[in-house]
Amino acid sequence: MIGAGAALSARRTVSDDDIAACARLTGDFGAHHIGGVAGRKVAQGLLTLSGTPLLADDGVHVTGMDLRFLAPVFAGDEITTSVTVDTRDGADITFTVVVTNATAEVLRGTGTARVLDQSNGHVA
Amino acid sequence: MVTTIPSAHGEVAVGDVLRTSRTYTVDEVREFRGLSGYPDNSEPRYLPYLLVVAPLTELGGDIDYLSGRMTWAVTRPVAVGEEITAELEITRLEPGPGVTKIAFDARIRCGDEVVVSGTSKGVVLVGEGARR
């Protein structure tokens, strides 16, 4: 049950392999991802977001997001993604996503989503 | 003088629309789940939200785009196997030192139906790390 106040978080270290796999899956071969900036590869924003717990759930239909990318994430960086459910009204939730590296926030955003039944796609 | 930026599709300017299409398979969704840190072999019904917008990030990569802000509205879930077409329409280009500020409108369509619409603004690298 995803209720108001629920908080989920995940931690990962972004690797060169992750950036290459993300490029393959998305088609985002931007030079700063592949060649790097000052010798360091920059993670795709989508890769930075990919560990976000709610977004990975087949039973959660995201209906909107508003994201601010505050700083680049580089290969080798350990990032922590935290999601807080701010409100829930029936099947509709609002949430806040914050991604941090060792020293600062790198991404902050808000979103809305609809929680679907896990088994048949109907609203729970 | 019209400001242009280099892209994988040649020089582009305000008003130009970049477009690409993709259809994700069940195996690719599973690979994405693994990449996300949530390996799961169950049969996915829907594309993960991030894969729905992934073709837009491909277009972003084509112009070496670093996002500052993006806002999206999504009308419905997209089933695995549906072809999705991303469109990125450049609305502003503002040259500066080392980077060009850019804003664009973006859409994801399934056929004629728009399933995601939004806007984004950020910068395009024109110095170190840039495509050219």
Side-chain angles (χ1 to χ4, degrees):
Chain A
M1 176 71 183
I2 303 165
L8 302 161
S9 73
R11 184 177 301 179
R12 72 182 301 167
T13 300
V14 175
S15 70
D16 283 353
D17 285 350
D18 292 338
I19 293 172
C22 187
R24 234 180 18 254
L25 276 169
T26 63
D28 182 357
F29 290 92
H32 50 289
H33 304 313
I34 303 307
V37 175
R40 302 177 73 196
K41 292 178 181 172
V42 179
Q44 293 91 346
L46 193 147
L47 179 61
T48 301
L49 272 171
S50 71
T52 307
L54 275 182
L55 300 187
D57 193 327
D58 192 48
V60 175
H61 165 48
V62 174
T63 52
M65 286 200 84
D66 182 3
L67 303 168
R68 289 172 187 273
F69 295 85
L70 306 171
V73 173
F74 295 99
D77 285 357
E78 183 180 74
I79 56 173
T80 301
T81 307
S82 305
V83 178
T84 307
V85 177
D86 299 314
T87 65
R88 176 159 186 169
D89 179 7
D92 295 318
I93 62 173
T94 62
F95 59 92
T96 299
V97 181
V98 178
V99 183
T100 57
N101 62 17
T103 55
E105 286 186 8
V106 295
L107 187 156
R108 175 176 278 271
T110 56
T112 56
R114 173 158 279 229
V115 180
L116 308 172
D117 180 317
Q118 294 292 327
S119 60
N120 59 15
H122 294 157
V123 172
Chain B
M1 190 182 118
V2 175
T3 300
T4 64
I5 54 171
S7 83
H9 314 270
E11 293 284 322
V12 291
V14 169
D16 284 344
V17 179
L18 306 180
R19 194 174 278 111
T20 190
S21 296
R22 185 150 180 176
T23 305
Y24 283 102
T25 64
V26 167
D27 284 347
E28 286 172 322
V29 172
R30 287 186 176 137
E31 188 181 353
F32 182 75
R33 286 173 168 177
L35 177 65
S36 302
Y38 303 96
D40 179 354
N41 279 324
S42 67
E43 189 81 7
R45 294 168 299 171
Y46 304 118
L47 281 188
Y49 164 77
L50 291 174
L51 279 186
V52 175
V53 298
L56 277 175
T57 72
E58 173 185 346
L59 296 176
D62 288 347
I63 55 172
D64 290 334
Y65 177 63
L66 280 175
S67 179
R69 181 166 188 183
M70 52 178 60
T71 306
W72 308 111
V74 189
T75 59
R76 67 162 171 88
V78 175
V80 178
E82 276 192 89
E83 184 183 55
I84 47 181
T85 298
E87 294 175 344
L88 184 162
E89 181 174 353
I90 299 170
T91 56
R92 187 164 65 93
L93 287 175
E94 191 181 310
V99 298
T100 296
K101 291 183 182 172
I102 182 173
F104 58 81
D105 293 339
R107 294 171 290 278
I108 297 282
R109 290 191 290 105
C110 291
D112 292 333
E113 181 188 8
V114 174
V115 294
V116 179
S117 60
T119 61
S120 187
K121 57 185 179 181
V123 298
V124 170
L125 299 175
V126 293
E128 183 191 15
R131 178 175 303 280
R132 56 186 172 186

